[in-house]
Each structure stands twice: as C-alpha cells, then as structure tokens.
PDB file of all heavy atoms in Angstrom:
ATOM      1  N   GLU A 165      -6.923 -12.223  -4.563  1.00  0.00           N
ATOM      2  CA  GLU A 165      -7.028 -11.791  -3.168  1.00  0.00           C
ATOM      3  C   GLU A 165      -6.526 -10.369  -3.012  1.00  0.00           C
ATOM      4  O   GLU A 165      -5.603  -9.922  -3.703  1.00  0.00           O
ATOM      5  CB  GLU A 165      -6.231 -12.718  -2.237  1.00  0.00           C
ATOM      6  CG  GLU A 165      -4.731 -12.672  -2.409  1.00  0.00           C
ATOM      7  CD  GLU A 165      -3.984 -13.402  -1.302  1.00  0.00           C
ATOM      8  OE1 GLU A 165      -4.608 -13.811  -0.300  1.00  0.00           O
ATOM      9  OE2 GLU A 165      -2.756 -13.554  -1.449  1.00  0.00           O
ATOM     10  N   GLY A 166      -7.163  -9.665  -2.090  1.00  0.00           N
ATOM     11  CA  GLY A 166      -6.720  -8.314  -1.782  1.00  0.00           C
ATOM     12  C   GLY A 166      -5.441  -8.348  -0.971  1.00  0.00           C
ATOM     13  O   GLY A 166      -5.298  -9.167  -0.067  1.00  0.00           O
ATOM     14  N   VAL A 167      -4.517  -7.460  -1.297  1.00  0.00           N
ATOM     15  CA  VAL A 167      -3.231  -7.371  -0.620  1.00  0.00           C
ATOM     16  C   VAL A 167      -3.153  -6.121   0.247  1.00  0.00           C
ATOM     17  O   VAL A 167      -2.739  -6.179   1.410  1.00  0.00           O
ATOM     18  CB  VAL A 167      -2.085  -7.368  -1.641  1.00  0.00           C
ATOM     19  CG1 VAL A 167      -0.741  -7.151  -0.948  1.00  0.00           C
ATOM     20  CG2 VAL A 167      -2.089  -8.660  -2.454  1.00  0.00           C
ATOM     21  N   SER A 168      -3.570  -4.998  -0.325  1.00  0.00           N
ATOM     22  CA  SER A 168      -3.450  -3.736   0.392  1.00  0.00           C
ATOM     23  C   SER A 168      -4.407  -2.737  -0.222  1.00  0.00           C
ATOM     24  O   SER A 168      -4.787  -2.853  -1.386  1.00  0.00           O
ATOM     25  CB  SER A 168      -2.010  -3.216   0.296  1.00  0.00           C
ATOM     26  OG  SER A 168      -1.840  -2.019   1.033  1.00  0.00           O
ATOM     27  N   CYS A 169      -4.778  -1.742   0.576  1.00  0.00           N
ATOM     28  CA  CYS A 169      -5.689  -0.708   0.101  1.00  0.00           C
ATOM     29  C   CYS A 169      -5.300   0.610   0.746  1.00  0.00           C
ATOM     30  O   CYS A 169      -4.878   0.635   1.914  1.00  0.00           O
ATOM     31  CB  CYS A 169      -7.125  -1.078   0.446  1.00  0.00           C
ATOM     32  SG  CYS A 169      -8.356   0.106  -0.104  1.00  0.00           S
ATOM     33  N   ILE A 170      -5.444   1.696  -0.001  1.00  0.00           N
ATOM     34  CA  ILE A 170      -5.138   3.014   0.522  1.00  0.00           C
ATOM     35  C   ILE A 170      -6.298   3.945   0.199  1.00  0.00           C
ATOM     36  O   ILE A 170      -6.840   3.923  -0.905  1.00  0.00           O
ATOM     37  CB  ILE A 170      -3.800   3.533  -0.051  1.00  0.00           C
ATOM     38  CG1 ILE A 170      -3.388   4.844   0.614  1.00  0.00           C
ATOM     39  CG2 ILE A 170      -3.859   3.675  -1.575  1.00  0.00           C
ATOM     40  CD1 ILE A 170      -1.938   5.245   0.322  1.00  0.00           C
ATOM     41  N   SER A 171      -6.673   4.747   1.181  1.00  0.00           N
ATOM     42  CA  SER A 171      -7.788   5.672   1.000  1.00  0.00           C
ATOM     43  C   SER A 171      -7.376   6.825   0.089  1.00  0.00           C
ATOM     44  O   SER A 171      -6.194   7.052  -0.169  1.00  0.00           O
ATOM     45  CB  SER A 171      -8.250   6.204   2.349  1.00  0.00           C
ATOM     46  OG  SER A 171      -7.201   6.926   2.984  1.00  0.00           O
ATOM     47  N   ARG A 172      -8.367   7.565  -0.357  1.00  0.00           N
ATOM     48  CA  ARG A 172      -8.118   8.632  -1.330  1.00  0.00           C
ATOM     49  C   ARG A 172      -7.148   9.680  -0.812  1.00  0.00           C
ATOM     50  O   ARG A 172      -6.373  10.241  -1.599  1.00  0.00           O
ATOM     51  CB  ARG A 172      -9.441   9.289  -1.731  1.00  0.00           C
ATOM     52  CG  ARG A 172     -10.196   9.942  -0.597  1.00  0.00           C
ATOM     53  CD  ARG A 172     -11.588  10.359  -1.050  1.00  0.00           C
ATOM     54  NE  ARG A 172     -12.457   9.242  -1.336  1.00  0.00           N
ATOM     55  CZ  ARG A 172     -13.188   8.592  -0.428  1.00  0.00           C
ATOM     56  NH1 ARG A 172     -13.131   8.965   0.834  1.00  0.00           N
ATOM     57  NH2 ARG A 172     -13.971   7.597  -0.789  1.00  0.00           N
ATOM     58  N   ASP A 173      -7.162   9.908   0.491  1.00  0.00           N
ATOM     59  CA  ASP A 173      -6.249  10.908   1.046  1.00  0.00           C
ATOM     60  C   ASP A 173      -4.977  10.293   1.601  1.00  0.00           C
ATOM     61  O   ASP A 173      -4.102  11.004   2.101  1.00  0.00           O
ATOM     62  CB  ASP A 173      -6.947  11.737   2.125  1.00  0.00           C
ATOM     63  CG  ASP A 173      -7.502  10.882   3.244  1.00  0.00           C
ATOM     64  OD1 ASP A 173      -7.211   9.657   3.279  1.00  0.00           O
ATOM     65  OD2 ASP A 173      -8.227  11.419   4.095  1.00  0.00           O
ATOM     66  N   GLY A 174      -4.879   8.967   1.556  1.00  0.00           N
ATOM     67  CA  GLY A 174      -3.690   8.276   2.049  1.00  0.00           C
ATOM     68  C   GLY A 174      -3.653   8.084   3.544  1.00  0.00           C
ATOM     69  O   GLY A 174      -2.698   7.501   4.063  1.00  0.00           O
ATOM     70  N   ASP A 175      -4.689   8.526   4.247  1.00  0.00           N
ATOM     71  CA  ASP A 175      -4.658   8.452   5.708  1.00  0.00           C
ATOM     72  C   ASP A 175      -5.025   7.073   6.249  1.00  0.00           C
ATOM     73  O   ASP A 175      -4.651   6.735   7.378  1.00  0.00           O
ATOM     74  CB  ASP A 175      -5.617   9.496   6.297  1.00  0.00           C
ATOM     75  CG  ASP A 175      -5.052  10.901   6.191  1.00  0.00           C
ATOM     76  OD1 ASP A 175      -3.843  11.040   5.885  1.00  0.00           O
ATOM     77  OD2 ASP A 175      -5.807  11.865   6.399  1.00  0.00           O
ATOM     78  N   SER A 176      -5.764   6.309   5.477  1.00  0.00           N
ATOM     79  CA  SER A 176      -6.167   4.970   5.924  1.00  0.00           C
ATOM     80  C   SER A 176      -5.527   3.934   5.012  1.00  0.00           C
ATOM     81  O   SER A 176      -5.667   3.995   3.795  1.00  0.00           O
ATOM     82  CB  SER A 176      -7.687   4.835   5.890  1.00  0.00           C
ATOM     83  OG  SER A 176      -8.285   5.746   6.782  1.00  0.00           O
ATOM     84  N   ILE A 177      -4.823   2.994   5.631  1.00  0.00           N
ATOM     85  CA  ILE A 177      -4.082   1.971   4.886  1.00  0.00           C
ATOM     86  C   ILE A 177      -4.385   0.613   5.496  1.00  0.00           C
ATOM     87  O   ILE A 177      -4.481   0.477   6.725  1.00  0.00           O
ATOM     88  CB  ILE A 177      -2.575   2.279   4.922  1.00  0.00           C
ATOM     89  CG1 ILE A 177      -2.265   3.490   4.034  1.00  0.00           C
ATOM     90  CG2 ILE A 177      -1.751   1.069   4.517  1.00  0.00           C
ATOM     91  CD1 ILE A 177      -0.824   3.945   4.078  1.00  0.00           C
ATOM     92  N   TYR A 178      -4.512  -0.375   4.630  1.00  0.00           N
ATOM     93  CA  TYR A 178      -4.876  -1.714   5.060  1.00  0.00           C
ATOM     94  C   TYR A 178      -3.951  -2.729   4.380  1.00  0.00           C
ATOM     95  O   TYR A 178      -3.574  -2.548   3.222  1.00  0.00           O
ATOM     96  CB  TYR A 178      -6.328  -2.016   4.667  1.00  0.00           C
ATOM     97  CG  TYR A 178      -7.314  -0.972   5.125  1.00  0.00           C
ATOM     98  CD1 TYR A 178      -7.530   0.179   4.380  1.00  0.00           C
ATOM     99  CD2 TYR A 178      -8.041  -1.140   6.304  1.00  0.00           C
ATOM    100  CE1 TYR A 178      -8.424   1.142   4.793  1.00  0.00           C
ATOM    101  CE2 TYR A 178      -8.949  -0.174   6.721  1.00  0.00           C
ATOM    102  CZ  TYR A 178      -9.138   0.957   5.962  1.00  0.00           C
ATOM    103  OH  TYR A 178     -10.033   1.919   6.382  1.00  0.00           O
ATOM    104  N   TYR A 179      -3.619  -3.776   5.133  1.00  0.00           N
ATOM    105  CA  TYR A 179      -2.802  -4.873   4.592  1.00  0.00           C
ATOM    106  C   TYR A 179      -3.387  -6.205   5.044  1.00  0.00           C
ATOM    107  O   TYR A 179      -3.887  -6.331   6.163  1.00  0.00           O
ATOM    108  CB  TYR A 179      -1.354  -4.802   5.101  1.00  0.00           C
ATOM    109  CG  TYR A 179      -0.605  -3.555   4.742  1.00  0.00           C
ATOM    110  CD1 TYR A 179      -0.431  -2.544   5.678  1.00  0.00           C
ATOM    111  CD2 TYR A 179      -0.048  -3.394   3.478  1.00  0.00           C
ATOM    112  CE1 TYR A 179       0.273  -1.390   5.358  1.00  0.00           C
ATOM    113  CE2 TYR A 179       0.654  -2.245   3.155  1.00  0.00           C
ATOM    114  CZ  TYR A 179       0.802  -1.243   4.113  1.00  0.00           C
ATOM    115  OH  TYR A 179       1.494  -0.107   3.778  1.00  0.00           O
ATOM    116  N   ILE A 180      -3.248  -7.209   4.202  1.00  0.00           N
ATOM    117  CA  ILE A 180      -3.551  -8.549   4.692  1.00  0.00           C
ATOM    118  C   ILE A 180      -2.404  -8.989   5.598  1.00  0.00           C
ATOM    119  O   ILE A 180      -1.285  -8.493   5.506  1.00  0.00           O
ATOM    120  CB  ILE A 180      -3.734  -9.565   3.542  1.00  0.00           C
ATOM    121  CG1 ILE A 180      -2.500  -9.621   2.627  1.00  0.00           C
ATOM    122  CG2 ILE A 180      -4.988  -9.287   2.771  1.00  0.00           C
ATOM    123  CD1 ILE A 180      -2.537 -10.767   1.644  1.00  0.00           C
ATOM    124  N   ASP A 181      -2.728  -9.908   6.493  1.00  0.00           N
ATOM    125  CA  ASP A 181      -1.759 -10.294   7.528  1.00  0.00           C
ATOM    126  C   ASP A 181      -0.450 -10.816   6.947  1.00  0.00           C
ATOM    127  O   ASP A 181       0.632 -10.553   7.487  1.00  0.00           O
ATOM    128  CB  ASP A 181      -2.368 -11.349   8.453  1.00  0.00           C
ATOM    129  CG  ASP A 181      -3.419 -10.770   9.379  1.00  0.00           C
ATOM    130  OD1 ASP A 181      -3.485  -9.531   9.517  1.00  0.00           O
ATOM    131  OD2 ASP A 181      -4.188 -11.563   9.973  1.00  0.00           O
ATOM    132  N   SER A 182      -0.542 -11.528   5.839  1.00  0.00           N
ATOM    133  CA  SER A 182       0.651 -12.192   5.311  1.00  0.00           C
ATOM    134  C   SER A 182       1.688 -11.223   4.747  1.00  0.00           C
ATOM    135  O   SER A 182       2.836 -11.623   4.511  1.00  0.00           O
ATOM    136  CB  SER A 182       0.260 -13.197   4.232  1.00  0.00           C
ATOM    137  OG  SER A 182      -0.397 -12.558   3.162  1.00  0.00           O
ATOM    138  N   VAL A 183       1.323  -9.954   4.544  1.00  0.00           N
ATOM    139  CA  VAL A 183       2.295  -8.997   3.998  1.00  0.00           C
ATOM    140  C   VAL A 183       2.621  -7.876   4.974  1.00  0.00           C
ATOM    141  O   VAL A 183       3.471  -7.031   4.674  1.00  0.00           O
ATOM    142  CB  VAL A 183       1.807  -8.405   2.654  1.00  0.00           C
ATOM    143  CG1 VAL A 183       1.428  -9.515   1.681  1.00  0.00           C
ATOM    144  CG2 VAL A 183       0.666  -7.426   2.853  1.00  0.00           C
ATOM    145  N   LYS A 184       1.964  -7.857   6.112  1.00  0.00           N
ATOM    146  CA  LYS A 184       2.231  -6.798   7.091  1.00  0.00           C
ATOM    147  C   LYS A 184       3.692  -6.806   7.519  1.00  0.00           C
ATOM    148  O   LYS A 184       4.258  -7.855   7.793  1.00  0.00           O
ATOM    149  CB  LYS A 184       1.331  -6.969   8.316  1.00  0.00           C
ATOM    150  CG  LYS A 184      -0.111  -6.565   8.080  1.00  0.00           C
ATOM    151  CD  LYS A 184      -0.947  -6.755   9.347  1.00  0.00           C
ATOM    152  CE  LYS A 184      -2.385  -6.351   9.095  1.00  0.00           C
ATOM    153  NZ  LYS A 184      -3.242  -6.594  10.300  1.00  0.00           N
ATOM    154  N   GLY A 185       4.299  -5.636   7.539  1.00  0.00           N
ATOM    155  CA  GLY A 185       5.701  -5.520   7.900  1.00  0.00           C
ATOM    156  C   GLY A 185       6.650  -5.721   6.737  1.00  0.00           C
ATOM    157  O   GLY A 185       7.846  -5.470   6.862  1.00  0.00           O
ATOM    158  N   ARG A 186       6.130  -6.188   5.604  1.00  0.00           N
ATOM    159  CA  ARG A 186       6.968  -6.413   4.419  1.00  0.00           C
ATOM    160  C   ARG A 186       6.583  -5.514   3.250  1.00  0.00           C
ATOM    161  O   ARG A 186       7.454  -5.096   2.486  1.00  0.00           O
ATOM    162  CB  ARG A 186       6.864  -7.876   3.979  1.00  0.00           C
ATOM    163  CG  ARG A 186       7.299  -8.872   5.024  1.00  0.00           C
ATOM    164  CD  ARG A 186       7.372 -10.293   4.446  1.00  0.00           C
ATOM    165  NE  ARG A 186       6.083 -10.774   3.955  1.00  0.00           N
ATOM    166  CZ  ARG A 186       5.865 -11.169   2.700  1.00  0.00           C
ATOM    167  NH1 ARG A 186       6.848 -11.125   1.806  1.00  0.00           N
ATOM    168  NH2 ARG A 186       4.673 -11.605   2.346  1.00  0.00           N
ATOM    169  N   PHE A 187       5.293  -5.240   3.089  1.00  0.00           N
ATOM    170  CA  PHE A 187       4.807  -4.428   1.978  1.00  0.00           C
ATOM    171  C   PHE A 187       4.389  -3.054   2.498  1.00  0.00           C
ATOM    172  O   PHE A 187       3.872  -2.930   3.615  1.00  0.00           O
ATOM    173  CB  PHE A 187       3.603  -5.083   1.312  1.00  0.00           C
ATOM    174  CG  PHE A 187       3.896  -6.335   0.527  1.00  0.00           C
ATOM    175  CD1 PHE A 187       5.122  -6.985   0.606  1.00  0.00           C
ATOM    176  CD2 PHE A 187       2.929  -6.868  -0.324  1.00  0.00           C
ATOM    177  CE1 PHE A 187       5.386  -8.134  -0.122  1.00  0.00           C
ATOM    178  CE2 PHE A 187       3.162  -8.009  -1.054  1.00  0.00           C
ATOM    179  CZ  PHE A 187       4.385  -8.649  -0.952  1.00  0.00           C
ATOM    180  N   THR A 188       4.567  -2.048   1.648  1.00  0.00           N
ATOM    181  CA  THR A 188       4.138  -0.694   1.980  1.00  0.00           C
ATOM    182  C   THR A 188       3.439  -0.086   0.773  1.00  0.00           C
ATOM    183  O   THR A 188       4.015  -0.017  -0.310  1.00  0.00           O
ATOM    184  CB  THR A 188       5.324   0.187   2.371  1.00  0.00           C
ATOM    185  OG1 THR A 188       6.025  -0.399   3.472  1.00  0.00           O
ATOM    186  CG2 THR A 188       4.847   1.584   2.770  1.00  0.00           C
ATOM    187  N   ILE A 189       2.214   0.353   0.997  1.00  0.00           N
ATOM    188  CA  ILE A 189       1.457   1.029  -0.061  1.00  0.00           C
ATOM    189  C   ILE A 189       1.578   2.532   0.137  1.00  0.00           C
ATOM    190  O   ILE A 189       1.635   3.015   1.273  1.00  0.00           O
ATOM    191  CB  ILE A 189      -0.023   0.571  -0.058  1.00  0.00           C
ATOM    192  CG1 ILE A 189      -0.745   1.047  -1.312  1.00  0.00           C
ATOM    193  CG2 ILE A 189      -0.734   1.049   1.198  1.00  0.00           C
ATOM    194  CD1 ILE A 189      -2.148   0.439  -1.467  1.00  0.00           C
ATOM    195  N   SER A 190       1.639   3.249  -0.969  1.00  0.00           N
ATOM    196  CA  SER A 190       1.693   4.709  -0.891  1.00  0.00           C
ATOM    197  C   SER A 190       1.099   5.275  -2.167  1.00  0.00           C
ATOM    198  O   SER A 190       0.890   4.549  -3.142  1.00  0.00           O
ATOM    199  CB  SER A 190       3.127   5.196  -0.692  1.00  0.00           C
ATOM    200  OG  SER A 190       3.946   4.827  -1.795  1.00  0.00           O
ATOM    201  N   ARG A 191       0.833   6.557  -2.152  1.00  0.00           N
ATOM    202  CA  ARG A 191       0.275   7.189  -3.342  1.00  0.00           C
ATOM    203  C   ARG A 191       0.827   8.591  -3.489  1.00  0.00           C
ATOM    204  O   ARG A 191       1.102   9.268  -2.492  1.00  0.00           O
ATOM    205  CB  ARG A 191      -1.249   7.201  -3.295  1.00  0.00           C
ATOM    206  CG  ARG A 191      -1.862   8.036  -2.202  1.00  0.00           C
ATOM    207  CD  ARG A 191      -3.369   7.748  -2.090  1.00  0.00           C
ATOM    208  NE  ARG A 191      -4.071   8.132  -3.297  1.00  0.00           N
ATOM    209  CZ  ARG A 191      -5.274   7.655  -3.633  1.00  0.00           C
ATOM    210  NH1 ARG A 191      -5.885   6.761  -2.855  1.00  0.00           N
ATOM    211  NH2 ARG A 191      -5.872   8.076  -4.743  1.00  0.00           N
ATOM    212  N   ASP A 192       0.959   9.010  -4.721  1.00  0.00           N
ATOM    213  CA  ASP A 192       1.354  10.363  -5.066  1.00  0.00           C
ATOM    214  C   ASP A 192       0.273  10.885  -6.006  1.00  0.00           C
ATOM    215  O   ASP A 192       0.305  10.635  -7.214  1.00  0.00           O
ATOM    216  CB  ASP A 192       2.737  10.368  -5.731  1.00  0.00           C
ATOM    217  CG  ASP A 192       3.257  11.767  -5.993  1.00  0.00           C
ATOM    218  OD1 ASP A 192       2.435  12.712  -6.073  1.00  0.00           O
ATOM    219  OD2 ASP A 192       4.481  11.918  -6.151  1.00  0.00           O
ATOM    220  N   ASN A 193      -0.690  11.578  -5.436  1.00  0.00           N
ATOM    221  CA  ASN A 193      -1.825  12.031  -6.248  1.00  0.00           C
ATOM    222  C   ASN A 193      -1.390  13.037  -7.322  1.00  0.00           C
ATOM    223  O   ASN A 193      -1.997  13.105  -8.391  1.00  0.00           O
ATOM    224  CB  ASN A 193      -2.905  12.624  -5.357  1.00  0.00           C
ATOM    225  CG  ASN A 193      -3.661  11.548  -4.582  1.00  0.00           C
ATOM    226  OD1 ASN A 193      -3.712  10.388  -4.997  1.00  0.00           O
ATOM    227  ND2 ASN A 193      -4.250  11.933  -3.470  1.00  0.00           N
ATOM    228  N   ALA A 194      -0.364  13.785  -7.039  1.00  0.00           N
ATOM    229  CA  ALA A 194       0.123  14.756  -8.032  1.00  0.00           C
ATOM    230  C   ALA A 194       0.659  14.038  -9.276  1.00  0.00           C
ATOM    231  O   ALA A 194       0.574  14.563 -10.390  1.00  0.00           O
ATOM    232  CB  ALA A 194       1.200  15.630  -7.419  1.00  0.00           C
ATOM    233  N   LYS A 195       1.209  12.847  -9.065  1.00  0.00           N
ATOM    234  CA  LYS A 195       1.717  12.045 -10.180  1.00  0.00           C
ATOM    235  C   LYS A 195       0.705  11.001 -10.648  1.00  0.00           C
ATOM    236  O   LYS A 195       1.010  10.208 -11.545  1.00  0.00           O
ATOM    237  CB  LYS A 195       3.016  11.354  -9.785  1.00  0.00           C
ATOM    238  CG  LYS A 195       4.175  12.310  -9.516  1.00  0.00           C
ATOM    239  CD  LYS A 195       5.450  11.549  -9.194  1.00  0.00           C
ATOM    240  CE  LYS A 195       6.614  12.510  -8.980  1.00  0.00           C
ATOM    241  NZ  LYS A 195       7.875  11.788  -8.661  1.00  0.00           N
ATOM    242  N   ALA A 196      -0.462  10.999 -10.008  1.00  0.00           N
ATOM    243  CA  ALA A 196      -1.511  10.033 -10.361  1.00  0.00           C
ATOM    244  C   ALA A 196      -0.984   8.605 -10.336  1.00  0.00           C
ATOM    245  O   ALA A 196      -1.268   7.795 -11.231  1.00  0.00           O
ATOM    246  CB  ALA A 196      -2.106  10.363 -11.727  1.00  0.00           C
ATOM    247  N   THR A 197      -0.240   8.290  -9.303  1.00  0.00           N
ATOM    248  CA  THR A 197       0.401   6.972  -9.208  1.00  0.00           C
ATOM    249  C   THR A 197       0.289   6.429  -7.787  1.00  0.00           C
ATOM    250  O   THR A 197       0.436   7.177  -6.814  1.00  0.00           O
ATOM    251  CB  THR A 197       1.877   7.062  -9.621  1.00  0.00           C
ATOM    252  OG1 THR A 197       1.968   7.590 -10.943  1.00  0.00           O
ATOM    253  CG2 THR A 197       2.533   5.686  -9.602  1.00  0.00           C
ATOM    254  N   VAL A 198       0.039   5.134  -7.715  1.00  0.00           N
ATOM    255  CA  VAL A 198       0.033   4.415  -6.444  1.00  0.00           C
ATOM    256  C   VAL A 198       1.138   3.367  -6.495  1.00  0.00           C
ATOM    257  O   VAL A 198       1.361   2.752  -7.539  1.00  0.00           O
ATOM    258  CB  VAL A 198      -1.333   3.751  -6.187  1.00  0.00           C
ATOM    259  CG1 VAL A 198      -1.317   2.955  -4.892  1.00  0.00           C
ATOM    260  CG2 VAL A 198      -2.431   4.809  -6.153  1.00  0.00           C
ATOM    261  N   TYR A 199       1.815   3.176  -5.382  1.00  0.00           N
ATOM    262  CA  TYR A 199       2.964   2.278  -5.330  1.00  0.00           C
ATOM    263  C   TYR A 199       2.725   1.145  -4.335  1.00  0.00           C
ATOM    264  O   TYR A 199       1.973   1.284  -3.368  1.00  0.00           O
ATOM    265  CB  TYR A 199       4.220   3.046  -4.903  1.00  0.00           C
ATOM    266  CG  TYR A 199       4.523   4.244  -5.758  1.00  0.00           C
ATOM    267  CD1 TYR A 199       4.120   5.532  -5.374  1.00  0.00           C
ATOM    268  CD2 TYR A 199       5.216   4.105  -6.965  1.00  0.00           C
ATOM    269  CE1 TYR A 199       4.400   6.633  -6.172  1.00  0.00           C
ATOM    270  CE2 TYR A 199       5.501   5.206  -7.748  1.00  0.00           C
ATOM    271  CZ  TYR A 199       5.078   6.461  -7.342  1.00  0.00           C
ATOM    272  OH  TYR A 199       5.357   7.555  -8.132  1.00  0.00           O
ATOM    273  N   LEU A 200       3.412   0.050  -4.584  1.00  0.00           N
ATOM    274  CA  LEU A 200       3.456  -1.037  -3.613  1.00  0.00           C
ATOM    275  C   LEU A 200       4.913  -1.472  -3.497  1.00  0.00           C
ATOM    276  O   LEU A 200       5.450  -2.109  -4.412  1.00  0.00           O
ATOM    277  CB  LEU A 200       2.579  -2.217  -4.036  1.00  0.00           C
ATOM    278  CG  LEU A 200       2.444  -3.326  -2.988  1.00  0.00           C
ATOM    279  CD1 LEU A 200       1.667  -2.823  -1.770  1.00  0.00           C
ATOM    280  CD2 LEU A 200       1.752  -4.559  -3.577  1.00  0.00           C
ATOM    281  N   GLN A 201       5.540  -1.073  -2.399  1.00  0.00           N
ATOM    282  CA  GLN A 201       6.914  -1.489  -2.120  1.00  0.00           C
ATOM    283  C   GLN A 201       6.862  -2.847  -1.430  1.00  0.00           C
ATOM    284  O   GLN A 201       6.225  -2.992  -0.386  1.00  0.00           O
ATOM    285  CB  GLN A 201       7.606  -0.465  -1.220  1.00  0.00           C
ATOM    286  CG  GLN A 201       9.013  -0.846  -0.818  1.00  0.00           C
ATOM    287  CD  GLN A 201       9.978  -0.838  -1.985  1.00  0.00           C
ATOM    288  OE1 GLN A 201       9.960   0.073  -2.812  1.00  0.00           O
ATOM    289  NE2 GLN A 201      10.842  -1.851  -2.068  1.00  0.00           N
ATOM    290  N   MET A 202       7.533  -3.814  -2.021  1.00  0.00           N
ATOM    291  CA  MET A 202       7.495  -5.185  -1.503  1.00  0.00           C
ATOM    292  C   MET A 202       8.910  -5.596  -1.112  1.00  0.00           C
ATOM    293  O   MET A 202       9.799  -5.676  -1.962  1.00  0.00           O
ATOM    294  CB  MET A 202       6.930  -6.131  -2.565  1.00  0.00           C
ATOM    295  CG  MET A 202       5.571  -5.701  -3.095  1.00  0.00           C
ATOM    296  SD  MET A 202       4.823  -6.928  -4.196  1.00  0.00           S
ATOM    297  CE  MET A 202       6.008  -6.964  -5.516  1.00  0.00           C
ATOM    298  N   ASN A 203       9.105  -5.834   0.165  1.00  0.00           N
ATOM    299  CA  ASN A 203      10.400  -6.258   0.696  1.00  0.00           C
ATOM    300  C   ASN A 203      10.301  -7.663   1.265  1.00  0.00           C
ATOM    301  O   ASN A 203       9.201  -8.170   1.492  1.00  0.00           O
ATOM    302  CB  ASN A 203      10.863  -5.291   1.783  1.00  0.00           C
ATOM    303  CG  ASN A 203      11.054  -3.876   1.283  1.00  0.00           C
ATOM    304  OD1 ASN A 203      11.415  -3.655   0.125  1.00  0.00           O
ATOM    305  ND2 ASN A 203      10.813  -2.906   2.147  1.00  0.00           N
ATOM    306  N   SER A 204      11.447  -8.269   1.490  1.00  0.00           N
ATOM    307  CA  SER A 204      11.505  -9.623   2.075  1.00  0.00           C
ATOM    308  C   SER A 204      10.556 -10.577   1.353  1.00  0.00           C
ATOM    309  O   SER A 204       9.787 -11.311   1.977  1.00  0.00           O
ATOM    310  CB  SER A 204      11.161  -9.564   3.571  1.00  0.00           C
ATOM    311  OG  SER A 204      12.042  -8.689   4.247  1.00  0.00           O
ATOM    312  N   LEU A 205      10.630 -10.551   0.049  1.00  0.00           N
ATOM    313  CA  LEU A 205       9.699 -11.350  -0.755  1.00  0.00           C
ATOM    314  C   LEU A 205       9.907 -12.840  -0.538  1.00  0.00           C
ATOM    315  O   LEU A 205      11.039 -13.306  -0.331  1.00  0.00           O
ATOM    316  CB  LEU A 205       9.849 -10.984  -2.228  1.00  0.00           C
ATOM    317  CG  LEU A 205       9.156  -9.669  -2.624  1.00  0.00           C
ATOM    318  CD1 LEU A 205       9.704  -9.137  -3.926  1.00  0.00           C
ATOM    319  CD2 LEU A 205       7.652  -9.868  -2.703  1.00  0.00           C
TER     320      LEU A 205
END
C-alpha cells in the first residue's frame, strides 16, 4: 500500500489517512535522498 508521495519539487505531498499527523515525507535533492519521518508509531 502507498503511504506517502512527494512531488519532484517537494511542493505537493500526499499521505494516506492512517499516517496523517504522524508521518512526514521530505526530500533533499542535493543529497539525492528522500526521507520518511515516522512518529507515534
């Protein structure tokens, strides 16, 4: 199942309902890395 998605520029972000408010997606294109911070697991 999809959890989260981030657009190429980082301006559009999507979450499934069950993780909203707990997970945060981000990206650092300079480091070629995408992150998923997961809290309140």
Side-chain angles (χ1 to χ4, degrees):
E165 67 169 351
V167 175
S168 183
C169 181
I170 187 167
S171 62
R172 61 189 68 85
D173 57 9
D175 285 348
S176 297
I177 288 176
Y178 307 84
Y179 299 102
I180 56 170
D181 287 345
S182 60
V183 307
K184 285 180 180 177
R186 300 189 299 122
F187 290 11
T188 303
I189 191 171
S190 62
R191 65 191 296 160
D192 185 337
N193 286 336
K195 295 183 178 180
T197 303
V198 178
Y199 305 97
L200 187 67
Q201 177 68 43
M202 305 187 297
N203 299 328
S204 303
L205 282 161

